[in-house]
Every structure is written in structure tokens, then in C-alpha cells.
mmCIF file of all heavy atoms in Angstrom:
data_model
loop_
_atom_site.group_PDB
_atom_site.id
_atom_site.type_symbol
_atom_site.label_atom_id
_atom_site.label_comp_id
_atom_site.label_asym_id
_atom_site.label_seq_id
_atom_site.Cartn_x
_atom_site.Cartn_y
_atom_site.Cartn_z
ATOM 1 N N ASP Q 1 -24.398 -76.267 -23.982
ATOM 2 C CA ASP Q 1 -25.680 -75.599 -23.732
ATOM 3 C C ASP Q 1 -26.402 -76.204 -22.528
ATOM 4 O O ASP Q 1 -27.083 -75.488 -21.781
ATOM 5 C CB ASP Q 1 -26.573 -75.696 -24.966
ATOM 6 C CG ASP Q 1 -26.074 -74.827 -26.108
ATOM 7 O OD1 ASP Q 1 -25.258 -73.932 -25.835
ATOM 8 O OD2 ASP Q 1 -26.488 -75.056 -27.261
ATOM 9 N N ILE Q 2 -26.251 -77.512 -22.365
ATOM 10 C CA ILE Q 2 -26.900 -78.168 -21.220
ATOM 11 C C ILE Q 2 -26.246 -77.719 -19.921
ATOM 12 O O ILE Q 2 -26.929 -77.315 -18.963
ATOM 13 C CB ILE Q 2 -26.823 -79.700 -21.362
ATOM 14 C CG1 ILE Q 2 -27.541 -80.153 -22.634
ATOM 15 C CG2 ILE Q 2 -27.416 -80.384 -20.138
ATOM 16 C CD1 ILE Q 2 -27.380 -81.638 -22.915
ATOM 17 N N LEU Q 3 -24.908 -77.783 -19.888
ATOM 18 C CA LEU Q 3 -24.183 -77.463 -18.654
ATOM 19 C C LEU Q 3 -24.301 -75.982 -18.306
ATOM 20 O O LEU Q 3 -24.195 -75.619 -17.122
ATOM 21 C CB LEU Q 3 -22.715 -77.863 -18.797
ATOM 22 C CG LEU Q 3 -22.470 -79.370 -18.993
ATOM 23 C CD1 LEU Q 3 -20.988 -79.652 -19.214
ATOM 24 C CD2 LEU Q 3 -22.984 -80.163 -17.800
ATOM 25 N N GLU Q 4 -24.505 -75.126 -19.301
ATOM 26 C CA GLU Q 4 -24.717 -73.697 -19.034
ATOM 27 C C GLU Q 4 -26.172 -73.395 -18.703
ATOM 28 O O GLU Q 4 -26.561 -72.237 -18.579
ATOM 29 C CB GLU Q 4 -24.262 -72.877 -20.241
ATOM 30 C CG GLU Q 4 -22.741 -72.883 -20.435
ATOM 31 C CD GLU Q 4 -22.313 -72.062 -21.642
ATOM 32 O OE1 GLU Q 4 -23.203 -71.682 -22.444
ATOM 33 O OE2 GLU Q 4 -21.109 -71.797 -21.794
ATOM 34 N N ASN Q 5 -26.970 -74.450 -18.603
ATOM 35 C CA ASN Q 5 -28.379 -74.339 -18.184
ATOM 36 C C ASN Q 5 -29.205 -73.530 -19.180
ATOM 37 O O ASN Q 5 -30.102 -72.770 -18.813
ATOM 38 C CB ASN Q 5 -28.489 -73.707 -16.788
ATOM 39 C CG ASN Q 5 -29.732 -74.166 -16.042
ATOM 40 O OD1 ASN Q 5 -30.312 -75.205 -16.356
ATOM 41 N ND2 ASN Q 5 -30.161 -73.406 -15.047
ATOM 42 N N LYS Q 6 -28.939 -73.730 -20.472
ATOM 43 C CA LYS Q 6 -29.656 -73.007 -21.514
ATOM 44 C C LYS Q 6 -30.680 -73.876 -22.230
ATOM 45 O O LYS Q 6 -31.710 -73.369 -22.668
ATOM 46 C CB LYS Q 6 -28.669 -72.441 -22.544
ATOM 47 C CG LYS Q 6 -27.721 -71.387 -22.004
ATOM 48 C CD LYS Q 6 -26.765 -70.905 -23.092
ATOM 49 C CE LYS Q 6 -25.811 -69.832 -22.566
ATOM 50 N NZ LYS Q 6 -24.849 -69.400 -23.626
ATOM 51 N N LEU Q 7 -30.397 -75.150 -22.379
ATOM 52 C CA LEU Q 7 -31.259 -76.009 -23.184
ATOM 53 C C LEU Q 7 -32.563 -76.336 -22.459
ATOM 54 O O LEU Q 7 -33.651 -75.984 -22.915
ATOM 55 C CB LEU Q 7 -30.517 -77.300 -23.546
ATOM 56 C CG LEU Q 7 -31.258 -78.232 -24.502
ATOM 57 C CD1 LEU Q 7 -31.534 -77.534 -25.815
ATOM 58 C CD2 LEU Q 7 -30.439 -79.519 -24.745
ATOM 59 N N LEU Q 8 -32.474 -77.003 -21.345
ATOM 60 C CA LEU Q 8 -33.634 -77.308 -20.484
ATOM 61 C C LEU Q 8 -33.312 -76.803 -19.081
ATOM 62 O O LEU Q 8 -32.814 -77.549 -18.252
ATOM 63 C CB LEU Q 8 -33.924 -78.818 -20.474
ATOM 64 C CG LEU Q 8 -34.502 -79.414 -21.755
ATOM 65 C CD1 LEU Q 8 -34.622 -80.927 -21.628
ATOM 66 C CD2 LEU Q 8 -35.865 -78.809 -22.071
ATOM 67 N N PRO Q 9 -33.552 -75.534 -18.811
ATOM 68 C CA PRO Q 9 -33.090 -74.931 -17.552
ATOM 69 C C PRO Q 9 -33.682 -75.610 -16.311
ATOM 70 O O PRO Q 9 -34.854 -75.977 -16.284
ATOM 71 C CB PRO Q 9 -33.574 -73.477 -17.662
ATOM 72 C CG PRO Q 9 -33.827 -73.250 -19.108
ATOM 73 C CD PRO Q 9 -34.259 -74.564 -19.660
ATOM 74 N N LEU Q 10 -32.816 -75.765 -15.319
ATOM 75 C CA LEU Q 10 -33.225 -76.211 -13.992
ATOM 76 C C LEU Q 10 -32.856 -75.124 -12.997
ATOM 77 O O LEU Q 10 -31.836 -74.443 -13.146
ATOM 78 C CB LEU Q 10 -32.533 -77.521 -13.598
ATOM 79 C CG LEU Q 10 -32.968 -78.799 -14.318
ATOM 80 C CD1 LEU Q 10 -32.139 -79.980 -13.825
ATOM 81 C CD2 LEU Q 10 -34.442 -79.081 -14.098
ATOM 82 N N ARG Q 11 -33.668 -74.967 -11.984
ATOM 83 C CA ARG Q 11 -33.397 -73.925 -11.000
ATOM 84 C C ARG Q 11 -32.049 -74.131 -10.322
ATOM 85 O O ARG Q 11 -31.319 -73.174 -10.044
ATOM 86 C CB ARG Q 11 -34.515 -73.910 -9.952
ATOM 87 C CG ARG Q 11 -34.323 -72.860 -8.873
ATOM 88 C CD ARG Q 11 -35.569 -72.699 -8.041
ATOM 89 N NE ARG Q 11 -36.688 -72.239 -8.863
ATOM 90 C CZ ARG Q 11 -37.864 -71.848 -8.362
ATOM 91 N NH1 ARG Q 11 -38.054 -71.870 -7.055
ATOM 92 N NH2 ARG Q 11 -38.832 -71.448 -9.156
ATOM 93 N N ARG Q 12 -31.686 -75.374 -10.078
ATOM 94 C CA ARG Q 12 -30.400 -75.670 -9.423
ATOM 95 C C ARG Q 12 -29.299 -76.019 -10.429
ATOM 96 O O ARG Q 12 -28.177 -76.319 -10.035
ATOM 97 C CB ARG Q 12 -30.574 -76.818 -8.424
ATOM 98 C CG ARG Q 12 -31.542 -76.483 -7.286
ATOM 99 C CD ARG Q 12 -31.661 -77.650 -6.322
ATOM 100 N NE ARG Q 12 -32.656 -77.408 -5.279
ATOM 101 C CZ ARG Q 12 -32.411 -76.833 -4.106
ATOM 102 N NH1 ARG Q 12 -31.184 -76.438 -3.836
ATOM 103 N NH2 ARG Q 12 -33.374 -76.661 -3.221
ATOM 104 N N GLY Q 13 -29.606 -76.004 -11.714
ATOM 105 C CA GLY Q 13 -28.592 -76.187 -12.739
ATOM 106 C C GLY Q 13 -28.138 -77.622 -12.922
ATOM 107 O O GLY Q 13 -28.684 -78.563 -12.333
ATOM 108 N N TYR Q 14 -27.100 -77.776 -13.774
ATOM 109 C CA TYR Q 14 -26.527 -79.079 -14.108
ATOM 110 C C TYR Q 14 -25.058 -79.131 -13.708
ATOM 111 O O TYR Q 14 -24.354 -78.116 -13.732
ATOM 112 C CB TYR Q 14 -26.630 -79.355 -15.611
ATOM 113 C CG TYR Q 14 -28.042 -79.473 -16.128
ATOM 114 C CD1 TYR Q 14 -28.744 -78.332 -16.527
ATOM 115 C CD2 TYR Q 14 -28.667 -80.704 -16.228
ATOM 116 C CE1 TYR Q 14 -30.035 -78.426 -17.025
ATOM 117 C CE2 TYR Q 14 -29.966 -80.805 -16.717
ATOM 118 C CZ TYR Q 14 -30.635 -79.671 -17.112
ATOM 119 O OH TYR Q 14 -31.917 -79.771 -17.589
ATOM 120 N N ILE Q 15 -24.610 -80.325 -13.386
ATOM 121 C CA ILE Q 15 -23.194 -80.561 -13.077
ATOM 122 C C ILE Q 15 -22.736 -81.748 -13.913
ATOM 123 O O ILE Q 15 -23.391 -82.802 -13.919
ATOM 124 C CB ILE Q 15 -22.982 -80.852 -11.580
ATOM 125 C CG1 ILE Q 15 -23.438 -79.661 -10.745
ATOM 126 C CG2 ILE Q 15 -21.516 -81.182 -11.301
ATOM 127 C CD1 ILE Q 15 -23.381 -79.902 -9.252
ATOM 128 N N GLY Q 16 -21.640 -81.567 -14.629
ATOM 129 C CA GLY Q 16 -21.106 -82.647 -15.447
ATOM 130 C C GLY Q 16 -20.074 -83.469 -14.700
ATOM 131 O O GLY Q 16 -19.274 -82.920 -13.925
ATOM 132 N N VAL Q 17 -20.066 -84.783 -14.913
ATOM 133 C CA VAL Q 17 -19.100 -85.683 -14.286
ATOM 134 C C VAL Q 17 -18.602 -86.669 -15.329
ATOM 135 O O VAL Q 17 -19.284 -86.952 -16.323
ATOM 136 C CB VAL Q 17 -19.709 -86.444 -13.090
ATOM 137 C CG1 VAL Q 17 -20.128 -85.489 -11.988
ATOM 138 C CG2 VAL Q 17 -20.888 -87.300 -13.523
ATOM 139 N N VAL Q 18 -17.415 -87.187 -15.095
ATOM 140 C CA VAL Q 18 -16.836 -88.241 -15.939
ATOM 141 C C VAL Q 18 -16.485 -89.404 -15.029
ATOM 142 O O VAL Q 18 -15.558 -89.316 -14.218
ATOM 143 C CB VAL Q 18 -15.585 -87.736 -16.700
ATOM 144 C CG1 VAL Q 18 -14.973 -88.882 -17.503
ATOM 145 C CG2 VAL Q 18 -15.953 -86.573 -17.606
ATOM 146 N N ASN Q 19 -17.229 -90.485 -15.136
ATOM 147 C CA ASN Q 19 -17.017 -91.650 -14.277
ATOM 148 C C ASN Q 19 -16.014 -92.606 -14.906
ATOM 149 O O ASN Q 19 -15.655 -92.491 -16.091
ATOM 150 C CB ASN Q 19 -18.345 -92.380 -14.044
ATOM 151 C CG ASN Q 19 -19.336 -91.512 -13.284
ATOM 152 O OD1 ASN Q 19 -18.951 -90.731 -12.432
ATOM 153 N ND2 ASN Q 19 -20.615 -91.651 -13.613
ATOM 154 N N ARG Q 20 -15.618 -93.561 -14.116
ATOM 155 C CA ARG Q 20 -14.747 -94.611 -14.628
ATOM 156 C C ARG Q 20 -15.506 -95.478 -15.627
ATOM 157 O O ARG Q 20 -16.687 -95.736 -15.464
ATOM 158 C CB ARG Q 20 -14.226 -95.493 -13.500
ATOM 159 C CG ARG Q 20 -13.278 -94.799 -12.537
ATOM 160 C CD ARG Q 20 -12.833 -95.743 -11.440
ATOM 161 N NE ARG Q 20 -13.978 -96.198 -10.636
ATOM 162 C CZ ARG Q 20 -13.909 -97.197 -9.763
ATOM 163 N NH1 ARG Q 20 -12.770 -97.849 -9.598
ATOM 164 N NH2 ARG Q 20 -14.968 -97.538 -9.072
ATOM 165 N N SER Q 21 -14.825 -95.901 -16.648
ATOM 166 C CA SER Q 21 -15.415 -96.825 -17.606
ATOM 167 C C SER Q 21 -15.400 -98.236 -17.019
ATOM 168 O O SER Q 21 -14.752 -98.506 -15.996
ATOM 169 C CB SER Q 21 -14.650 -96.798 -18.920
ATOM 170 O OG SER Q 21 -13.330 -97.300 -18.727
ATOM 171 N N GLN Q 22 -16.102 -99.146 -17.685
ATOM 172 C CA GLN Q 22 -16.113 -100.531 -17.204
ATOM 173 C C GLN Q 22 -14.715 -101.130 -17.295
ATOM 174 O O GLN Q 22 -14.316 -101.939 -16.447
ATOM 175 C CB GLN Q 22 -17.108 -101.358 -18.032
ATOM 176 C CG GLN Q 22 -17.370 -102.756 -17.478
ATOM 177 C CD GLN Q 22 -17.949 -102.725 -16.071
ATOM 178 O OE1 GLN Q 22 -18.840 -101.936 -15.788
ATOM 179 N NE2 GLN Q 22 -17.423 -103.560 -15.193
ATOM 180 N N ALA Q 23 -13.989 -100.706 -18.318
ATOM 181 C CA ALA Q 23 -12.609 -101.195 -18.441
ATOM 182 C C ALA Q 23 -11.756 -100.701 -17.271
ATOM 183 O O ALA Q 23 -10.900 -101.445 -16.764
ATOM 184 C CB ALA Q 23 -12.013 -100.740 -19.774
ATOM 185 N N ASP Q 24 -11.965 -99.459 -16.835
ATOM 186 C CA ASP Q 24 -11.223 -98.931 -15.676
ATOM 187 C C ASP Q 24 -11.566 -99.723 -14.411
ATOM 188 O O ASP Q 24 -10.683 -100.004 -13.591
ATOM 189 C CB ASP Q 24 -11.561 -97.463 -15.469
ATOM 190 C CG ASP Q 24 -11.052 -96.585 -16.604
ATOM 191 O OD1 ASP Q 24 -10.079 -96.992 -17.261
ATOM 192 O OD2 ASP Q 24 -11.637 -95.498 -16.821
ATOM 193 N N ILE Q 25 -12.856 -100.063 -14.268
ATOM 194 C CA ILE Q 25 -13.264 -100.821 -13.075
ATOM 195 C C ILE Q 25 -12.675 -102.212 -13.111
ATOM 196 O O ILE Q 25 -12.144 -102.713 -12.096
ATOM 197 C CB ILE Q 25 -14.807 -100.884 -13.008
ATOM 198 C CG1 ILE Q 25 -15.381 -99.478 -12.828
ATOM 199 C CG2 ILE Q 25 -15.264 -101.788 -11.871
ATOM 200 C CD1 ILE Q 25 -16.885 -99.418 -12.901
ATOM 201 N N ASP Q 26 -12.743 -102.857 -14.281
ATOM 202 C CA ASP Q 26 -12.160 -104.198 -14.397
ATOM 203 C C ASP Q 26 -10.648 -104.162 -14.174
ATOM 204 O O ASP Q 26 -10.067 -105.124 -13.654
ATOM 205 C CB ASP Q 26 -12.478 -104.791 -15.774
ATOM 206 C CG ASP Q 26 -13.984 -105.011 -15.975
ATOM 207 O OD1 ASP Q 26 -14.699 -105.099 -14.942
ATOM 208 O OD2 ASP Q 26 -14.429 -105.071 -17.142
ATOM 209 N N GLY Q 27 -10.022 -103.053 -14.577
ATOM 210 C CA GLY Q 27 -8.575 -102.929 -14.393
ATOM 211 C C GLY Q 27 -8.185 -102.395 -13.035
ATOM 212 O O GLY Q 27 -7.012 -102.046 -12.822
ATOM 213 N N LYS Q 28 -9.178 -102.260 -12.115
ATOM 214 C CA LYS Q 28 -8.911 -101.810 -10.739
ATOM 215 C C LYS Q 28 -8.293 -100.413 -10.712
ATOM 216 O O LYS Q 28 -7.395 -100.118 -9.911
ATOM 217 C CB LYS Q 28 -7.988 -102.795 -10.003
ATOM 218 C CG LYS Q 28 -8.444 -104.236 -10.013
ATOM 219 C CD LYS Q 28 -9.744 -104.427 -9.243
ATOM 220 C CE LYS Q 28 -10.154 -105.900 -9.205
ATOM 221 N NZ LYS Q 28 -11.436 -106.121 -8.493
ATOM 222 N N LYS Q 29 -8.769 -99.537 -11.564
ATOM 223 C CA LYS Q 29 -8.230 -98.184 -11.584
ATOM 224 C C LYS Q 29 -8.605 -97.471 -10.297
ATOM 225 O O LYS Q 29 -9.755 -97.483 -9.865
ATOM 226 C CB LYS Q 29 -8.780 -97.418 -12.786
ATOM 227 C CG LYS Q 29 -8.193 -96.022 -12.938
ATOM 228 C CD LYS Q 29 -8.680 -95.346 -14.199
ATOM 229 C CE LYS Q 29 -8.057 -93.972 -14.384
ATOM 230 N NZ LYS Q 29 -8.509 -93.315 -15.631
ATOM 231 N N ASP Q 30 -7.642 -96.835 -9.674
ATOM 232 C CA ASP Q 30 -7.829 -96.159 -8.401
ATOM 233 C C ASP Q 30 -8.794 -94.973 -8.577
ATOM 234 O O ASP Q 30 -8.772 -94.259 -9.587
ATOM 235 C CB ASP Q 30 -6.486 -95.665 -7.868
ATOM 236 C CG ASP Q 30 -6.647 -94.983 -6.524
ATOM 237 O OD1 ASP Q 30 -6.945 -95.685 -5.538
ATOM 238 O OD2 ASP Q 30 -6.523 -93.755 -6.478
ATOM 239 N N ILE Q 31 -9.649 -94.745 -7.562
ATOM 240 C CA ILE Q 31 -10.633 -93.676 -7.650
ATOM 241 C C ILE Q 31 -9.951 -92.315 -7.689
ATOM 242 O O ILE Q 31 -10.372 -91.404 -8.412
ATOM 243 C CB ILE Q 31 -11.621 -93.756 -6.473
ATOM 244 C CG1 ILE Q 31 -12.435 -95.052 -6.566
ATOM 245 C CG2 ILE Q 31 -12.552 -92.559 -6.453
ATOM 246 C CD1 ILE Q 31 -13.424 -95.230 -5.449
ATOM 247 N N HIS Q 32 -8.882 -92.158 -6.908
ATOM 248 C CA HIS Q 32 -8.160 -90.888 -6.921
ATOM 249 C C HIS Q 32 -7.599 -90.604 -8.312
ATOM 250 O O HIS Q 32 -7.643 -89.465 -8.790
ATOM 251 C CB HIS Q 32 -7.035 -90.906 -5.890
ATOM 252 C CG HIS Q 32 -7.527 -90.906 -4.473
ATOM 253 N ND1 HIS Q 32 -8.075 -89.793 -3.886
ATOM 254 C CD2 HIS Q 32 -7.545 -91.890 -3.537
ATOM 255 C CE1 HIS Q 32 -8.414 -90.077 -2.636
ATOM 256 N NE2 HIS Q 32 -8.097 -91.347 -2.400
ATOM 257 N N ALA Q 33 -7.086 -91.642 -8.972
ATOM 258 C CA ALA Q 33 -6.574 -91.467 -10.332
ATOM 259 C C ALA Q 33 -7.715 -91.120 -11.289
ATOM 260 O O ALA Q 33 -7.553 -90.295 -12.200
ATOM 261 C CB ALA Q 33 -5.866 -92.747 -10.790
ATOM 262 N N ALA Q 34 -8.891 -91.735 -11.068
ATOM 263 C CA ALA Q 34 -10.043 -91.437 -11.919
ATOM 264 C C ALA Q 34 -10.485 -89.995 -11.739
ATOM 265 O O ALA Q 34 -10.840 -89.310 -12.714
ATOM 266 C CB ALA Q 34 -11.183 -92.397 -11.590
ATOM 267 N N MET Q 35 -10.466 -89.482 -10.507
ATOM 268 C CA MET Q 35 -10.871 -88.104 -10.259
ATOM 269 C C MET Q 35 -9.857 -87.127 -10.852
ATOM 270 O O MET Q 35 -10.218 -86.051 -11.349
ATOM 271 C CB MET Q 35 -11.041 -87.875 -8.763
ATOM 272 C CG MET Q 35 -12.199 -88.672 -8.174
ATOM 273 S SD MET Q 35 -12.327 -88.542 -6.387
ATOM 274 C CE MET Q 35 -12.712 -86.808 -6.203
ATOM 275 N N ALA Q 36 -8.566 -87.497 -10.814
ATOM 276 C CA ALA Q 36 -7.539 -86.651 -11.438
ATOM 277 C C ALA Q 36 -7.743 -86.599 -12.951
ATOM 278 O O ALA Q 36 -7.613 -85.537 -13.580
ATOM 279 C CB ALA Q 36 -6.148 -87.180 -11.091
ATOM 280 N N ALA Q 37 -8.069 -87.749 -13.554
ATOM 281 C CA ALA Q 37 -8.314 -87.780 -14.995
ATOM 282 C C ALA Q 37 -9.564 -86.970 -15.342
ATOM 283 O O ALA Q 37 -9.618 -86.303 -16.392
ATOM 284 C CB ALA Q 37 -8.472 -89.231 -15.457
ATOM 285 N N GLU Q 38 -10.559 -86.994 -14.478
ATOM 286 C CA GLU Q 38 -11.783 -86.217 -14.702
ATOM 287 C C GLU Q 38 -11.458 -84.723 -14.697
ATOM 288 O O GLU Q 38 -11.915 -83.973 -15.571
ATOM 289 C CB GLU Q 38 -12.803 -86.555 -13.619
ATOM 290 C CG GLU Q 38 -14.102 -85.763 -13.708
ATOM 291 C CD GLU Q 38 -15.009 -86.002 -12.496
ATOM 292 O OE1 GLU Q 38 -14.485 -85.933 -11.355
ATOM 293 O OE2 GLU Q 38 -16.214 -86.244 -12.692
ATOM 294 N N LYS Q 39 -10.665 -84.301 -13.740
ATOM 295 C CA LYS Q 39 -10.297 -82.895 -13.656
ATOM 296 C C LYS Q 39 -9.518 -82.462 -14.894
ATOM 297 O O LYS Q 39 -9.752 -81.371 -15.456
ATOM 298 C CB LYS Q 39 -9.467 -82.656 -12.397
ATOM 299 C CG LYS Q 39 -9.087 -81.206 -12.180
ATOM 300 C CD LYS Q 39 -8.321 -81.030 -10.874
ATOM 301 C CE LYS Q 39 -7.950 -79.565 -10.649
ATOM 302 N NZ LYS Q 39 -7.203 -79.376 -9.376
ATOM 303 N N LYS Q 40 -8.598 -83.311 -15.339
ATOM 304 C CA LYS Q 40 -7.803 -83.004 -16.526
ATOM 305 C C LYS Q 40 -8.703 -82.883 -17.756
ATOM 306 O O LYS Q 40 -8.479 -82.027 -18.630
ATOM 307 C CB LYS Q 40 -6.762 -84.100 -16.728
ATOM 308 C CG LYS Q 40 -5.861 -83.866 -17.936
ATOM 309 C CD LYS Q 40 -4.830 -84.975 -18.068
ATOM 310 C CE LYS Q 40 -3.945 -84.759 -19.296
ATOM 311 N NZ LYS Q 40 -2.956 -85.861 -19.450
#
């Protein structure tokens, strides 16, 4: 409901992202791999 801009509507809407976890950062996870996992 949030991402479809129904709950608290914004004129420019919402965009969802999935960032690297702290464990991924500590494990030196590559950013490209993180973006691929986000897309998946």
C-alpha cells in the first residue's frame, strides 16, 4: 500500500530499495552483487 502510494500519498510517490546488510558490508559484498540480489 505504501509503494502504490495509497497509504500516505506523495505527489512524487515512493520507491523501495533493498540495501546491503551490515553483515554484507563486513563481508565485503560487491555492490554489483548487492544490486543483482535487490533486483531478484
Side-chain angles (χ1 to χ4, degrees):
D1 289 343
I2 299 174
L3 297 176
E4 290 180 348
N5 208 21
K6 295 179 180 178
L7 186 60
L8 289 175
L10 289 178
R11 180 168 298 189
R12 298 181 184 270
Y14 296 87
I15 299 175
V17 297
V18 177
N19 296 326
R20 293 179 298 168
S21 66
Q22 189 60 44
D24 293 335
I25 296 174
D26 296 338
K28 307 295 183 182
K29 184 175 182 179
D30 181 69
I31 295 179
H32 291 287
M35 294 175 65
E38 177 188 48
K39 183 177 181 180
K40 181 179 179 181

